[in-house]
Amino acid sequence: MNVVIVNCFDTYEERIDLLHEYFVSKGHKVTVIQSDFRHFKKEYRTEEKENFLFVPSKPYYKNLSFSRLKSHYVFAKNAFKHVESIRPDLLYAIIPPNSIAKFASNYKKKNTSAKLIFDLIDLWPETMPLGKVKNFPPFTFWQSMRDWNLKYADLVISECDLYRNILRDVLVNLKTETVYLAKKEIASESSPILSSNEIHLCYLGSINNIIDIPKIKSLLESINNLKPVTLHIIGDGENKDYFINQIELIGAKVNYHGKIYDNLKKQEIFDRCHFGINIMKDEVCVGLTMKSIDYFQGGLPILNNIQGDTTRIVEEFQIGINITPDINSVATKVIDIDIKKNVIMRETTRRVFENYFSFESFSNKLNNVIKIAMDSE
């Protein structure tokens, strides 16, 4: 089978690499058509990857800007010129940007024998912290570019159940499945060394405008009033200095590690921490975060306010604490979990990763959903 995957963002590339590996392992010919502009670093990529075709794209430097939308639209238009020449049996389109949905559906209408899968990795504008303006033009038109075209897919995949619930009215009578985010196994073992006199917490990932720094500060202050807190930060971002300053203001210690790509070093930090912080602004519409999968892989329970899938998983498997408005109560729960209970939590957390977010679980799920797409009429 000739498979083409269309993806705009390098920020989704971990999922793309897993998809590529899955289809290649099944003996299919695979082409990934992707933008050559790195969204996170705002720079062009120079390295090549086997079976990847990088489409020249216009740069942009603000995440919310007309130049970004134009860059995405032009990428989608040019990407589908390549799709037209390749003529795949299966077209696997990653959304967003929403313009890919428009061009993918146009291709499907002209090539009805080809199978089309939409993979919803994010929802725009729903997940953006825009407040009520997202309910008005031009954002509603932007949203409709996706919604109007989903019906042309043989299957719509979402990365979490929350997205399917939000789009339930649009997805009526469509074939839909959830395929969770996943990560490949890494060569590291967990050997926790936890303090009984202090609480060590980890924040992993980008320090950007969608994490809820005031809420994190409030929680850590409440915990610090009961037992001394040290926050370990792995990552970087435009709000790094502000984040560190706010945590130090409450009397907690901050250990800034910067960006760490070595899995063994990252695991060593996880092994010193009681919980990982998985907290975003309430208006951010997300069911799972990549940082939570990293925590799960390292066996680190989480302090979580992400709704939908993550809240359910934390409650069902007892692999952390869900944040409630009663911050003092949450802080007490953190203190009440002794080292023995924490170690049990860590073992369960690791099993949750293996059962739901490993490459093996990802591949097993894809076996089922690809069959659904190929069998559709």
Side-chain angles (χ1 to χ4, degrees):
M1 185 167 63
N2 192 1
V3 179
V4 169
I5 302 169
V6 180
N7 169 54
C8 186
F9 300 113
D10 63 309
T11 46
Y12 302 157
E13 202 161 329
E14 190 158 14
R15 187 172 179 92
I16 302 307
D17 287 341
L18 294 180
L19 286 166
H20 172 263
E21 182 172 336
Y22 169 81
F23 285 119
V24 169
S25 73
K26 299 297 181 182
H28 303 312
K29 180 181 179 182
V30 185
T31 304
V32 178
I33 301 175
Q34 187 166 306
S35 170
D36 70 343
F37 185 69
R38 291 188 178 276
H39 168 74
F40 186 72
K41 294 182 178 180
K42 303 295 188 291
E43 65 184 25
Y44 286 104
R45 66 190 305 153
T46 55
E47 80 279 13
E48 295 182 356
K49 292 180 67 172
E50 186 178 6
N51 299 328
F52 276 63
L53 192 165
F54 293 108
V55 176
S57 301
K58 292 182 178 294
Y60 55 88
Y61 302 100
K62 293 183 178 180
N63 285 344
L64 282 174
S65 63
F66 175 75
S67 61
R68 179 182 180 181
L69 295 181
K70 183 177 180 181
S71 175
H72 294 168
Y73 190 88
V74 172
F75 162 77
K77 182 178 180 180
N78 291 335
F80 275 86
K81 292 178 181 178
H82 294 286
V83 174
E84 292 277 1
S85 65
I86 296 172
R87 299 183 64 82
D89 303 302
L90 172 61
L91 174 59
Y92 194 110
I94 308 295
I95 314 295
N98 296 350
S99 50
I100 286 181
K102 167 185 166 65
F103 285 98
S105 63
N106 287 344
Y107 180 83
K108 172 68 176 180
K109 284 183 279 187
K110 291 185 294 182
N111 300 272
T112 55
S113 62
K115 298 300 182 179
L116 172 60
I117 294 177
F118 284 134
D119 192 345
L120 304 177
I121 302 294
D122 204 346
L123 299 184
W124 288 358
E126 291 92 336
T127 62
M128 293 186 168
L130 299 170
K132 294 182 179 180
V133 299
K134 69 179 69 173
N135 298 319
F136 299 94
F139 298 105
T140 50
F141 174 76
W142 190 22
Q143 176 181 324
S144 296
M145 190 184 298
R146 175 198 66 213
D147 292 351
W148 288 339
N149 290 294
L150 292 180
K151 61 180 175 289
Y152 295 102
D154 295 284
L155 177 67
V156 178
I157 292 173
S158 68
E159 70 159 31
C160 59
D161 290 337
L162 177 66
Y163 290 170
R164 291 169 62 190
N165 185 51
I166 291 170
L167 298 178
R168 58 187 178 277
D169 293 338
V170 179
L171 297 173
V172 171
N173 298 324
L174 301 184
K175 292 182 178 180
T176 63
E177 292 286 339
T178 296
V179 178
Y180 281 140
L181 299 168
K183 289 180 68 68
K184 293 197 72 173
E185 286 290 351
I186 55 177
S188 66
E189 293 185 5
S190 177
S191 300
I193 306 173
L194 302 174
S195 171
S196 59
N197 301 316
E198 299 177 323
I199 296 295
H200 287 252
L201 304 173
C202 180
Y203 176 82
L204 170 71
S206 179
I207 309 168
N208 52 30
N209 67 332
I210 64 173
I211 70 168
D212 196 333
I213 293 177
K215 183 169 289 184
I216 296 171
K217 176 185 176 183
S218 177
L219 175 59
L220 268 60
E221 184 173 20
S222 293
I223 299 171
N224 195 61
N225 289 335
L226 301 173
K227 189 175 285 190
V229 169
T230 296
L231 175 64
H232 297 262
I233 299 176
I234 306 172
D236 201 356
E238 63 268 26
N239 289 333
K240 180 196 75 175
D241 293 337
Y242 173 69
F243 187 28
I244 292 173
N245 176 260
Q246 290 298 297
I247 301 306
E248 289 180 337
L249 281 176
I250 63 172
K253 296 177 183 178
V254 176
N255 194 337
Y256 178 66
H257 300 275
K259 296 179 181 178
I260 295 179
Y261 300 102
D262 185 289
N263 291 316
L264 293 177
K265 291 182 179 178
K266 188 163 65 175
Q267 188 65 53
E268 287 176 2
I269 297 169
F270 284 176
D271 286 346
R272 293 163 57 191
C273 295
H274 297 79
F275 294 95
I277 294 175
N278 193 49
I279 297 175
M280 290 184 176
K281 293 177 179 176
D282 290 336
E283 61 265 32
V284 178
C285 175
V286 177
L288 279 169
T289 64
M290 204 63 213
K291 74 167 90 294
S292 65
I293 311 304
D294 278 309
Y295 292 144
F296 296 162
Q297 186 175 36
L300 186 61
I302 62 174
L303 302 178
N304 170 69
N305 81 328
I306 304 302
Q307 298 301 304
D309 301 65
T310 309
T311 290
R312 176 183 58 77
I313 290 168
V314 168
E315 288 179 354
E316 181 176 347
F317 298 103
Q318 295 295 296
I319 57 170
I321 300 172
N322 286 320
I323 308 301
T324 66
D326 188 352
I327 293 296
N328 289 330
S329 174
V330 175
T332 300
K333 289 180 181 178
V334 171
I335 300 301
D336 286 345
I337 295 175
D338 59 24
I339 293 177
K340 184 177 179 180
K341 291 179 181 177
N342 189 280
V343 170
I344 294 172
M345 265 188 170
R346 301 173 91 92
E347 293 169 351
T348 307
T349 301
R350 175 63 191 179
R351 285 198 297 272
V352 166
F353 169 79
E354 292 168 352
N355 292 336
Y356 294 94
F357 305 106
S358 64
F359 181 59
E360 182 180 0
S361 64
F362 180 80
S363 298
N364 290 338
K365 182 67 175 181
L366 276 179
N367 286 336
N368 295 328
V369 302
I370 299 301
K371 187 177 187 302
I372 292 171
M374 300 308 294
D375 289 346
S376 64
E377 297 180 357

